[in-house]
Amino acid sequence: MGQTIKATFTGDLLRKYGLLLALVLLCAVFASMSPVFMTERNLLNVLNQVSINAILAIGVTFVILIGGIDLGLGSYVALTGCLAALFASSGDALFIPILLGILGGLLIGFVNGITITKGKLAPFIVTLGMMTIARGGALVVSDGRPISNLSPSFNAIGGTFLGIQIPVLIVLVIFLISLFVLNKTVFGRYVYAVGGNEEAARASGINVHRIKLYVYILCGGLAGVAGIIQTARIETGQPNIGVGYELDAIAAVVIGGTSLSGGSGRITGTIIGALIIGVINNGLDLLNVPSYYQQIIKGLIIVGALLIDRKS
Amino acid sequence: MGADLNVLEMNNISKTFPGVHALKNVNLAVKKGTVHALMGENGAGKSTLMKILIGMYTQYEGEIIFKGERLAHSNIKSAIDAGISMIHQELSYVPNMTVSENLFLGNEPRNRWGVVDRKKLREDTQSYLNLIGVKLDPGTLMKDLSVSERQMVEIAKAISYKSDVIIMDEPTSAISDREVERLFKIIEGLKKRGVAIIYISHKMDEIFRIADEFTVLRDGTFVGTQPIEGANIDQMIAMMVGRQLTDLFPRRTPEYGPAILTVRNLTKRGVFENISFEVRKGEIVGIAGLMGSGRTEVVNCIYGLDRSDSGEIRIRDTAATIRTPKDGMRQGIGLVSEDRKTLGLVLQLSVKENIMLPNFQLCTRYQVVSDAKEKMIADGIIKDLSIKTPTRDQKAGNLSGGNQQKIVIGKVLLGNPDLLILDEPTRGIDIGAKSEIYKLISQLAEQGKAIIVVSSELPEIMGLSDRIIVLHEGKVTGELTREEASEEKIMAHAFGK
């Protein structure tokens, strides 16, 4: 009891700001090695590059908090992106493609959630299946070809507003809403409880299935948002895009300190995790590290960061 | 001191965790071939001391003399090799492996090609099981055994390590009376073979039956070691709590109102059948029976944790459909489950969050939680039930069993149920917290709650209940009033006589 207070206090401080410290250190290292890194232009570029991963990572944070997993995110991005592109080719289409992209994502999440709760299947298997299904779906709706010639107003989603990239603003809004939902609403408390101990949550009168379903729907919907941004940014609905996105998203969550066994973690950690990955990608690019080596270095940094975290 | 008789001496052991002295100059001397009870309230330092002994904690002051030599093991494996093993309260095993595979896990006999010798594995297992007189097929999967049988396997494992000291932590907390008898026979057998047992239990009657000596710890300090002969319960309790406890069960004059709960012919095939009884406002009804008699299953169905096949549940004389715990709560039923770690609490969440979990309706508007209100409500419960926690934000898993149980009771009481069901309300918690919980239960009955207490501890059920219902293999075999009840009568019904 009493003996743990002091220990967890310093521990908490380290856990809270250690991650931020790691990010700052990483930036300092890259800044010292490349004069371009610290420029406003490059930093905004990093934020922009991070945005898709950040959105996916926020969604999958909820899923991991309830003790689940979603392995299909990259495919969802492709499918919802193509879906949006399909309806963005005419005139000044904007709202219909956005609506369809998001609805597609929500539907994918709904199917995942229902299969996991009512079908009592492991999230790993269900979302692995959905990963292939969604990829197939993307190829079907696009007929296997990139969908281009999108409306300028749709492509503008990938542009800037008051000098800041719109995707970055979208991430900011999603981040603030998630922060509020997770910390201030009953739903947020239930998410932690379900992930911490599903049986106890049920015995406390919580409809565990419903909470899980909502979380998968939320994650799918956010994948839809990411799909829209992706498509607008490259001005093309690309059925083969997004391979491996889910792994970057899960890596961001885990670097951010969320436990893969559920019940503990923070959205803020996830955002910093996504930034760390983004900074590594960007820094290595600036230093002209060949991309094959980049992958090795990125993997080492991720595992290394977790090892250090475990030690402290 | 007769040092040559002592197989184990722990001298002047001190252990600090950051900020707090967990142990201060504690001594423990255990004689060969005896049962030594280690006693103290939760948080007294028993488990810390044992964790030092089995090599889980390696940073401490003081010395351990084991079989005449100073012991400086550095991990659990080397403690086991030296001859010290522990049977934990929460057994650890691989559920999908067989008895023999579990027994020799990490220590499998091999043939000359380095492959596991399954024949020898089976035979050796059989011989260890025979040694303690347990009839079990070594090929049975661990998950198919009862709690008590798993415990027997753990004991066989300790013997296979050729341990000289076996620590048993609350070994009877989850097994039936008949199985306790079997355990005690095994312990007698171990004593004859010269094995010393360090026995941790909160059950006084057991300690008087099987222990030879006892050591009491309080707040991390050594209070004393005495032979059991000549000791009495009151003195023991006084040593543990540092004060005299009078009237464990408060006396009260019950006043009954109308029936709150009426159960008619409740049946769940293969588990229990035709259960009928009622509980009135202001009444405490005890449900007794051996482990596996269907006690817990019946109350779980009433609350909605489980579903019955047929029968009727009436609340205030109105038929109620209860399919989920939420339905149960809506009907004004609260359940304090027997298993606080899996059903009662989310251990990694804070005290506050656990208290509020079923009660957010008290502090939310449009699904948004009011922090201030939430803190106020949680603090109220912490104060009312005197839950000992440094802050409301402490993780529930870091508190002692008694305080954890108070959190569970507190969160259920916050929902203001008319019918309160308490399943094993004092399992594994110390005598001080026990007496507080008994007081609370009596007060609640006086305030007009209908209460069901399920318990395998006869003194508890007799001390609390106005009426006792006894189950045997899923059927009601007896109903006794407070005046009629005696341990013998309850046991007779419980065995189906």
Side-chain angles (χ1 to χ4, degrees), chain B residues 43-103:
Chain B
K46 294 171 308 213
S47 19
T48 309
L49 189 67
M50 291 302 103
K51 281 177 182 164
I52 289 173
L53 184 55
I54 61 167
M56 269 172 82
Y57 293 148
T58 50
Q59 302 289 323
Y60 60 90
E61 290 161 45
E63 57 167 13
I64 302 175
I65 309 285
F66 181 59
K67 293 195 279 190
E69 277 174 42
R70 196 183 160 135
L71 187 72
H73 50 242
S74 56
N75 58 41
I76 298 177
K77 177 93 172 61
S78 55
I80 287 174
D81 290 343
I84 300 170
S85 53
M86 177 155 179
I87 295 161
H88 292 270
Q89 189 177 357
E90 267 116 40
L91 303 173
S92 50
Y93 53 91
V94 188
N96 284 317
M97 288 174 103
T98 65
V99 168
S100 50
E101 283 164 344
N102 268 282
L103 201 58

Coordinates of all heavy atoms in Angstrom, one line a residue, chain B residues 43-103:
Chain B
G43 N -1.5 -7.3 5.4 CA -0.7 -6.1 5.5 C 0.3 -6.2 6.7 O 1.1 -5.2 6.9
A44 N 0.3 -7.3 7.4 CA 1.2 -7.4 8.6 C 2.6 -7.7 8.2 O 3.5 -7.5 8.9 CB 0.6 -8.4 9.6
G45 N 2.7 -8.2 6.9 CA 4.1 -8.5 6.4 C 4.3 -10.0 6.2 O 5.4 -10.4 5.8
K46 N 3.3 -10.8 6.3 CA 3.5 -12.3 6.1 C 4.0 -12.6 4.7 O 4.9 -13.3 4.5 CB 2.1 -13.0 6.3 CG 1.6 -13.0 7.8 CD 0.2 -13.5 7.8 CE -0.7 -12.9 6.8 NZ -2.0 -12.7 7.1
S47 N 3.3 -12.0 3.7 CA 3.6 -12.4 2.4 C 5.0 -11.8 2.0 O 5.8 -12.5 1.3 CB 2.6 -12.0 1.3 OG 1.8 -11.0 1.8
T48 N 5.3 -10.6 2.5 CA 6.7 -10.1 2.2 C 7.7 -11.0 2.8 O 8.7 -11.3 2.1 CB 6.8 -8.7 2.9 OG1 5.7 -7.9 2.5 CG2 8.1 -8.0 2.4
L49 N 7.5 -11.5 4.0 CA 8.5 -12.4 4.6 C 8.6 -13.6 3.8 O 9.7 -14.1 3.6 CB 8.0 -12.7 6.1 CG 9.0 -13.4 6.9 CD1 10.2 -12.6 7.2 CD2 8.4 -13.9 8.2
M50 N 7.5 -14.2 3.4 CA 7.6 -15.4 2.6 C 8.2 -15.2 1.2 O 8.9 -16.1 0.7 CB 6.2 -16.0 2.4 CG 5.6 -16.5 3.7 SD 6.6 -17.8 4.5 CE 7.4 -16.9 5.8
K51 N 8.0 -14.0 0.6 CA 8.6 -13.7 -0.7 C 10.1 -13.7 -0.5 O 10.8 -14.0 -1.5 CB 8.0 -12.5 -1.3 CG 6.6 -12.7 -1.9 CD 6.0 -11.5 -2.4 CE 4.6 -11.8 -3.0 NZ 3.8 -10.6 -3.2
I52 N 10.5 -13.2 0.6 CA 12.0 -13.1 0.9 C 12.5 -14.6 1.0 O 13.5 -14.9 0.4 CB 12.3 -12.3 2.1 CG1 12.1 -10.9 1.9 CG2 13.7 -12.6 2.6 CD1 12.2 -10.0 3.1
L53 N 11.7 -15.4 1.7 CA 12.2 -16.8 1.9 C 12.3 -17.6 0.6 O 13.2 -18.4 0.4 CB 11.2 -17.5 2.9 CG 11.6 -18.9 3.3 CD1 13.0 -18.9 3.9 CD2 10.5 -19.4 4.3
I54 N 11.3 -17.4 -0.3 CA 11.4 -18.2 -1.5 C 12.1 -17.5 -2.7 O 12.1 -17.9 -3.8 CB 10.0 -18.5 -2.0 CG1 9.2 -17.2 -2.4 CG2 9.2 -19.4 -1.0 CD1 7.9 -17.5 -3.2
G55 N 12.8 -16.4 -2.3 CA 13.7 -15.8 -3.3 C 13.1 -14.8 -4.3 O 13.6 -14.5 -5.3
M56 N 11.8 -14.4 -4.0 CA 11.2 -13.5 -4.9 C 11.7 -12.1 -4.7 O 11.8 -11.3 -5.6 CB 9.7 -13.5 -4.7 CG 9.0 -14.4 -5.7 SD 7.2 -14.6 -5.3 CE 6.6 -13.2 -6.2
Y57 N 12.0 -11.8 -3.4 CA 12.7 -10.5 -3.0 C 14.1 -10.8 -2.6 O 14.3 -11.7 -1.8 CB 12.0 -9.8 -1.9 CG 10.6 -9.3 -2.2 CD1 9.6 -9.2 -1.1 CD2 10.2 -8.8 -3.4 CE1 8.4 -8.8 -1.4 CE2 9.0 -8.4 -3.7 CZ 8.0 -8.3 -2.6 OH 6.8 -7.9 -2.9
T58 N 15.0 -10.2 -3.2 CA 16.4 -10.5 -2.9 C 17.1 -9.4 -2.1 O 18.2 -9.6 -1.6 CB 17.2 -10.8 -4.2 OG1 17.0 -9.7 -5.1 CG2 16.7 -12.1 -4.8
Q59 N 16.5 -8.2 -2.1 CA 17.0 -7.1 -1.3 C 16.4 -7.0 0.0 O 15.2 -6.7 0.2 CB 16.8 -5.8 -2.1 CG 17.3 -5.7 -3.5 CD 18.8 -5.7 -3.5 OE1 19.4 -5.0 -2.7 NE2 19.4 -6.3 -4.5
Y60 N 17.2 -7.4 1.1 CA 16.7 -7.3 2.4 C 17.8 -7.3 3.4 O 18.9 -7.6 3.0 CB 15.7 -8.4 2.8 CG 16.4 -9.8 2.6 CD1 17.0 -10.4 3.7 CD2 16.4 -10.5 1.4 CE1 17.6 -11.6 3.6 CE2 17.0 -11.7 1.3 CZ 17.6 -12.3 2.4 OH 18.2 -13.5 2.3
E61 N 17.5 -6.9 4.7 CA 18.6 -7.0 5.7 C 18.2 -8.2 6.5 O 17.1 -8.6 6.6 CB 18.6 -5.7 6.6 CG 19.1 -4.5 5.8 CD 18.6 -3.2 6.5 OE1 18.7 -3.2 7.8 OE2 18.1 -2.3 5.8
G62 N 19.3 -8.7 7.2 CA 19.1 -9.9 8.1 C 19.6 -11.1 7.5 O 20.2 -11.1 6.3
E63 N 19.5 -12.3 8.2 CA 20.0 -13.5 7.6 C 19.0 -14.6 7.7 O 18.2 -14.7 8.6 CB 21.3 -13.8 8.3 CG 21.2 -14.0 9.8 CD 22.4 -14.7 10.5 OE1 23.4 -14.8 9.8 OE2 22.2 -15.1 11.6
I64 N 19.2 -15.5 6.7 CA 18.4 -16.7 6.7 C 19.3 -17.9 7.0 O 20.3 -18.1 6.2 CB 17.6 -16.9 5.4 CG1 16.7 -15.7 5.1 CG2 16.8 -18.2 5.4 CD1 16.0 -15.7 3.8
I65 N 19.1 -18.7 8.0 CA 19.8 -19.9 8.3 C 18.9 -21.1 7.9 O 17.9 -21.3 8.5 CB 20.3 -20.0 9.8 CG1 20.9 -18.7 10.2 CG2 21.2 -21.2 9.9 CD1 22.3 -18.5 9.7
F66 N 19.4 -21.9 6.9 CA 18.5 -23.0 6.5 C 19.4 -24.2 6.6 O 20.5 -24.3 6.1 CB 18.1 -22.7 5.1 CG 17.2 -23.8 4.5 CD1 16.0 -24.1 5.1 CD2 17.6 -24.5 3.4 CE1 15.2 -25.1 4.6 CE2 16.8 -25.5 2.9 CZ 15.6 -25.8 3.5
K67 N 18.9 -25.2 7.4 CA 19.6 -26.4 7.7 C 21.1 -26.1 8.1 O 22.0 -26.7 7.7 CB 19.7 -27.3 6.4 CG 18.3 -27.8 6.1 CD 18.3 -29.0 5.1 CE 18.5 -28.5 3.6 NZ 18.3 -29.6 2.7
G68 N 21.2 -25.2 9.0 CA 22.4 -24.9 9.6 C 23.4 -24.0 8.8 O 24.5 -23.6 9.3
E69 N 23.0 -23.7 7.6 CA 23.9 -22.9 6.8 C 23.2 -21.6 6.4 O 22.0 -21.5 6.2 CB 24.3 -23.6 5.5 CG 25.4 -24.6 5.7 CD 25.7 -25.4 4.5 OE1 25.7 -24.8 3.4 OE2 25.9 -26.6 4.6
R70 N 24.0 -20.6 6.2 CA 23.5 -19.3 5.8 C 23.0 -19.4 4.3 O 23.8 -19.9 3.5 CB 24.5 -18.2 5.9 CG 23.9 -16.9 5.8 CD 24.9 -15.7 5.9 NE 24.1 -14.6 5.4 CZ 24.1 -13.4 5.9 NH1 24.9 -13.1 6.9 NH2 23.4 -12.4 5.3
L71 N 21.8 -19.0 4.1 CA 21.2 -19.1 2.8 C 21.3 -17.8 2.0 O 20.9 -16.8 2.5 CB 19.8 -19.6 2.9 CG 19.0 -20.0 1.7 CD1 19.5 -21.3 1.2 CD2 17.5 -20.0 2.0
A72 N 21.8 -17.9 0.8 CA 21.8 -16.6 0.0 C 21.4 -17.0 -1.4 O 22.1 -16.8 -2.3 CB 23.2 -16.0 0.0
H73 N 20.2 -17.5 -1.5 CA 19.7 -17.8 -2.8 C 19.3 -16.5 -3.5 O 19.0 -15.5 -2.9 CB 18.5 -18.8 -2.8 CG 17.4 -18.4 -1.8 ND1 17.1 -19.1 -0.8 CD2 16.6 -17.3 -1.8 CE1 16.1 -18.5 -0.1 NE2 15.8 -17.4 -0.7
S74 N 19.3 -16.6 -4.8 CA 19.1 -15.3 -5.5 C 17.8 -15.4 -6.3 O 17.4 -14.4 -6.8 CB 20.3 -15.0 -6.4 OG 20.5 -16.1 -7.3
N75 N 17.2 -16.5 -6.5 CA 15.9 -16.5 -7.2 C 15.1 -17.7 -6.8 O 15.5 -18.5 -5.9 CB 16.2 -16.5 -8.7 CG 17.0 -17.7 -9.1 OD1 16.8 -18.8 -8.6 ND2 17.9 -17.5 -10.0
I76 N 13.9 -17.8 -7.3 CA 13.0 -18.8 -6.9 C 13.5 -20.2 -7.2 O 13.4 -21.1 -6.4 CB 11.6 -18.6 -7.6 CG1 11.0 -17.3 -7.2 CG2 10.6 -19.7 -7.2 CD1 9.7 -16.9 -7.8
K77 N 14.2 -20.4 -8.3 CA 14.7 -21.7 -8.7 C 15.7 -22.2 -7.7 O 15.7 -23.3 -7.2 CB 15.4 -21.6 -10.1 CG 16.0 -22.8 -10.6 CD 15.1 -23.6 -11.4 CE 15.8 -24.8 -12.1 NZ 16.4 -25.8 -11.2
S78 N 16.6 -21.2 -7.2 CA 17.6 -21.7 -6.3 C 17.0 -22.0 -4.9 O 17.5 -22.8 -4.1 CB 18.8 -20.7 -6.2 OG 18.3 -19.4 -5.9
A79 N 15.9 -21.3 -4.6 CA 15.2 -21.6 -3.3 C 14.7 -23.0 -3.4 O 14.8 -23.7 -2.4 CB 14.1 -20.5 -3.0
I80 N 14.0 -23.3 -4.5 CA 13.5 -24.6 -4.6 C 14.5 -25.7 -4.6 O 14.4 -26.7 -3.9 CB 12.7 -24.7 -6.0 CG1 11.4 -23.9 -5.9 CG2 12.4 -26.1 -6.4 CD1 10.6 -23.8 -7.2
D81 N 15.7 -25.4 -5.3 CA 16.8 -26.4 -5.2 C 17.3 -26.6 -3.8 O 17.7 -27.7 -3.4 CB 17.9 -25.9 -6.1 CG 17.5 -26.0 -7.6 OD1 16.5 -26.7 -7.9 OD2 18.2 -25.3 -8.5
A82 N 17.3 -25.5 -3.0 CA 17.8 -25.6 -1.7 C 16.8 -26.4 -0.8 O 17.2 -27.0 0.2 CB 18.0 -24.2 -1.1
G83 N 15.5 -26.4 -1.2 CA 14.6 -27.2 -0.4 C 13.5 -26.4 0.2 O 12.9 -26.8 1.2
I84 N 13.1 -25.2 -0.4 CA 12.1 -24.4 0.1 C 11.1 -24.2 -1.0 O 11.4 -23.8 -2.1 CB 12.5 -23.0 0.6 CG1 13.6 -23.2 1.7 CG2 11.4 -22.2 1.0 CD1 14.3 -21.9 2.0
S85 N 9.8 -24.6 -0.8 CA 8.8 -24.3 -1.9 C 7.5 -23.8 -1.3 O 7.3 -24.0 -0.1 CB 8.6 -25.5 -2.8 OG 8.3 -26.6 -2.0
M86 N 6.8 -23.2 -2.1 CA 5.6 -22.5 -1.6 C 4.4 -22.9 -2.5 O 4.5 -23.0 -3.7 CB 5.8 -21.0 -1.7 CG 4.6 -20.2 -1.3 SD 5.0 -18.6 -0.7 CE 3.4 -17.8 -0.4
I87 N 3.3 -23.2 -1.8 CA 2.0 -23.4 -2.5 C 1.2 -22.2 -2.3 O 0.7 -21.8 -1.3 CB 1.3 -24.7 -1.9 CG1 2.2 -25.9 -2.2 CG2 -0.1 -24.8 -2.5 CD1 1.9 -27.0 -1.4
H88 N 1.0 -21.5 -3.4 CA 0.4 -20.2 -3.4 C -1.1 -20.3 -3.3 O -1.7 -21.3 -3.7 CB 0.8 -19.4 -4.6 CG 2.2 -19.0 -4.7 ND1 2.7 -17.8 -4.2 CD2 3.3 -19.7 -5.2 CE1 4.0 -17.8 -4.4 NE2 4.4 -18.9 -5.0
Q89 N -1.7 -19.2 -2.7 CA -3.1 -19.2 -2.6 C -3.8 -19.3 -3.9 O -4.7 -20.0 -4.2 CB -3.5 -17.9 -1.9 CG -5.0 -17.8 -1.5 CD -5.3 -16.6 -0.8 OE1 -4.4 -15.7 -0.5 NE2 -6.5 -16.4 -0.4
E90 N -3.2 -18.5 -4.9 CA -3.7 -18.6 -6.2 C -2.7 -19.5 -7.0 O -1.6 -19.2 -7.2 CB -3.8 -17.3 -6.9 CG -5.1 -16.6 -6.8 CD -5.0 -15.3 -6.0 OE1 -4.1 -14.6 -6.2 OE2 -5.9 -15.1 -5.2
L91 N -3.2 -20.8 -7.2 CA -2.3 -21.8 -7.8 C -1.9 -21.4 -9.2 O -2.7 -20.8 -9.9 CB -3.1 -23.1 -7.8 CG -3.6 -23.6 -6.4 CD1 -4.4 -24.8 -6.6 CD2 -2.4 -23.8 -5.5
S92 N -0.7 -21.7 -9.5 CA -0.3 -21.5 -10.9 C 0.0 -22.8 -11.6 O 0.7 -23.6 -11.0 CB 1.0 -20.6 -10.9 OG 1.9 -21.1 -10.1
Y93 N -0.6 -23.0 -12.7 CA -0.5 -24.2 -13.4 C -0.8 -24.0 -14.9 O -1.4 -22.9 -15.2 CB -1.4 -25.3 -12.8 CG -2.8 -24.8 -12.8 CD1 -3.7 -25.1 -13.8 CD2 -3.3 -24.1 -11.6 CE1 -5.0 -24.6 -13.8 CE2 -4.6 -23.7 -11.6 CZ -5.5 -24.0 -12.7 OH -6.8 -23.5 -12.6
V94 N -0.5 -24.9 -15.7 CA -0.9 -24.8 -17.1 C -2.2 -25.6 -17.3 O -2.1 -26.9 -17.3 CB 0.2 -25.4 -18.0 CG1 0.0 -25.1 -19.5 CG2 1.6 -24.8 -17.6
P95 N -3.3 -25.0 -17.6 CA -4.6 -25.7 -17.6 C -4.7 -26.8 -18.6 O -5.3 -27.8 -18.4 CB -5.6 -24.6 -17.8 CG -4.9 -23.3 -18.0 CD -3.4 -23.5 -17.8
N96 N -4.0 -26.6 -19.8 CA -4.2 -27.5 -20.9 C -3.2 -28.6 -20.9 O -3.0 -29.3 -21.8 CB -4.2 -26.8 -22.2 CG -5.6 -26.1 -22.4 OD1 -6.6 -26.7 -22.2 ND2 -5.5 -24.9 -22.9
M97 N -2.4 -28.7 -19.8 CA -1.5 -29.8 -19.7 C -1.9 -30.8 -18.6 O -2.7 -30.5 -17.8 CB -0.1 -29.3 -19.4 CG 0.6 -28.6 -20.5 SD 2.1 -27.8 -20.1 CE 3.3 -28.9 -20.8
T98 N -1.4 -32.0 -18.7 CA -1.9 -33.1 -17.7 C -1.3 -32.9 -16.4 O -0.3 -32.1 -16.2 CB -1.5 -34.5 -18.2 OG1 -0.1 -34.5 -18.2 CG2 -2.1 -34.7 -19.6
V99 N -1.8 -33.6 -15.4 CA -1.2 -33.6 -14.1 C 0.3 -33.9 -14.1 O 1.0 -33.1 -13.5 CB -2.0 -34.7 -13.2 CG1 -1.3 -34.9 -11.9 CG2 -3.4 -34.2 -13.0
S100 N 0.7 -34.9 -14.8 CA 2.1 -35.3 -14.8 C 2.9 -34.3 -15.5 O 4.0 -33.9 -15.0 CB 2.3 -36.7 -15.3 OG 1.7 -36.8 -16.6
E101 N 2.4 -33.7 -16.6 CA 3.2 -32.7 -17.2 C 3.4 -31.4 -16.4 O 4.4 -30.8 -16.4 CB 2.5 -32.3 -18.6 CG 2.7 -33.3 -19.7 CD 1.7 -33.1 -20.8 OE1 0.7 -32.4 -20.6 OE2 1.9 -33.6 -21.9
N102 N 2.4 -31.1 -15.6 CA 2.5 -30.0 -14.7 C 3.4 -30.3 -13.5 O 4.2 -29.4 -13.1 CB 1.1 -29.6 -14.1 CG 0.4 -28.5 -14.9 OD1 0.7 -27.4 -14.8 ND2 -0.5 -29.0 -15.8
L103 N 3.4 -31.5 -13.1 CA 4.2 -31.9 -11.9 C 5.7 -31.8 -12.3 O 6.5 -31.3 -11.5 CB 3.8 -33.3 -11.5 CG 4.2 -33.8 -10.1 CD1 3.5 -32.9 -9.1 CD2 3.7 -35.2 -9.9

